[in-house]
Amino acid sequence: MRLYQMADAVRYGLMNTEELRETFLLEGMFEVGEIEFAYVDLDRTVIGSAVPGKEALTLETEPELRSEYFLERRELGVLNVGGAGSVMVDGKSFEMGKLDCLYVGRGSKAVTFSSKSAKDPAYFYLLSYPAHAEYPTAMVKFADLQGLQLGAAETCNKRTIYKAICKDGIQSCQLVMGFTLLESGSDWNTMPPHTHMRRSEVYFYFDVDPAHRVLHLMGPPDATSHLVVADKEVVVSPGWSIHAGVGTKNYAFCWGMGGENQAYGDMDPVSIADLR
């Protein structure tokens, strides 16, 4: 488990490109046959990946968690962005296709990940936060999610938002999780941008063409920087930072939040004209 310590807005202003990437960008995850984790001190976020090949992978606790098992005091969101697979939770199997989302509640002890085919493995993205209450494990299929269409072709941000773990979807303690799909010809994700000091946010970019990149904008609205992000990379966004991005081609991203509340609309909007 890699450890990440977030910078505050003061240190952020002194950081060069490499320091920004080392602090806010998670690279090199999603290795076939491995479960990998990063622990972020901000909101005690755990970000991970599980890519089972021929053999199933078992979710085990880490020394940094100081727990008997991984979900002893945590909850977990799982999004499959690869081939067909399954997640076994305490003896119950959840068959997951691409863009199916699973919530695993606090107290779940035995969790394993499997791929239907090692030639087309499942790519499970994992996001976990501490939980002070237990909610039942539940899955939602992509086909059953009702998308919210936003943006327009004229502003290059025509996209559909899918809310999976939220007040109106799968119930959780503090985790909020969903994903956004951009249409062909659209490149901007969250624009105009916003901040929300009540919650940190994690952006997982996927279905990014290997020859293309996403420029993720971050920082205070009047002092922005950018990160160049490739496929299956993750950006951690503190509450004081905007989170927006534009790609050289359309892409998809999973957004996940944990913190003070679960209100999706709890945000402080920033005018495009005020960006610097």
Side-chain angles (χ1 to χ4, degrees), residues 148-168:
L148 172 65
Q149 294 185 340
L150 293 177
E154 291 78 8
T155 47
C156 303
N157 65 349
K158 194 172 183 181
R159 62 198 190 277
T160 305
I161 296 175
Y162 296 92
K163 304 175 186 178
I165 303 172
C166 60
K167 277 189 173 182
D168 300 321

Side-chain angles (χ1 to χ4, degrees), residues 22-244:
E22 289 177 352
T23 303
F24 299 102
L25 180 66
L26 277 62
E27 306 173 87
M29 303 179 78
F30 293 93
E31 294 292 331
V32 176
E34 300 287 342
I35 294 182
E36 301 180 77
F37 283 111
Y39 186 101
V40 182
D41 62 353
L42 180 65
D43 287 327
R44 292 176 289 169
T45 310
V46 173
I47 303 163
S49 62
V51 188
K54 294 181 179 179
E55 304 293 334
L57 299 175
T58 299
L59 180 66
E60 297 179 348
T61 191
E62 298 283 344
E64 293 81 0
L65 299 182
R66 302 296 193 270
S67 60
E68 182 181 343
Y69 52 97
F70 190 93
L71 294 171
E72 182 179 5
R73 296 182 298 273
R74 288 185 161 271
E75 58 188 354
L76 173 69
V78 182
L79 176 68
N80 184 12
V81 298
S86 63
V87 182
M88 182 80 73
V89 181
D90 288 342
K92 183 176 180 180
S93 181
F94 296 87
E95 303 297 319
M96 298 184 65
K98 185 173 182 178
L99 300 182
D100 293 345
C101 188
L102 174 69
Y103 171 79
V104 187
R106 190 188 79 170
S108 301
K109 292 184 177 181
V111 181
T112 59
F113 303 91
S114 302
S115 292
K116 186 175 182 180
S117 170
K119 295 181 179 180
D120 183 22
Y123 281 78
F124 295 110
Y125 169 64
L126 314 176
L127 183 62
S128 173
Y129 286 95
H132 58 266
E134 292 185 11
Y135 289 85
T137 295
M139 185 183 73
V140 60
K141 304 290 288 184
F142 176 51
D144 296 328
L145 288 172
Q146 185 173 356
L148 172 65
Q149 294 185 340
L150 293 177
E154 291 78 8
T155 47
C156 303
N157 65 349
K158 194 172 183 181
R159 62 198 190 277
T160 305
I161 296 175
Y162 296 92
K163 304 175 186 178
I165 303 172
C166 60
K167 277 189 173 182
D168 300 321
I170 298 175
Q171 299 298 292
S172 68
C173 180
Q174 71 161 329
L175 173 64
V176 178
M177 187 172 173
F179 54 91
T180 299
L181 307 181
L182 278 74
E183 295 196 12
S184 179
S186 286
D187 306 300
W188 284 99
N189 53 56
T190 309
M191 183 59 71
H194 60 268
T195 61
H196 35 63
M197 285 298 295
R198 278 76 54 195
R199 297 176 297 183
S200 59
E201 188 158 2
V202 180
Y203 267 41
F204 163 54
Y205 288 97
F206 64 96
D207 284 356
V208 180
D209 188 305
H212 289 261
R213 294 294 184 267
V214 177
L215 272 67
H216 180 96
L217 301 182
M218 64 166 298
D222 61 350
T224 60
S225 296
H226 71 270
L227 299 167
V228 179
V229 182
D231 186 43
K232 294 184 178 63
E233 293 184 344
V234 180
V235 177
V236 180
S237 180
W240 48 264
S241 174
I242 66 167
H243 32 270

Side-chain angles (χ1 to χ4, degrees), residues 13-27:
L14 304 175
M15 300 172 78
N16 60 31
T17 298
E18 193 58 35
E19 290 169 334
L20 288 170
R21 294 181 67 87
E22 289 177 352
T23 303
F24 299 102
L25 180 66
L26 277 62
E27 306 173 87

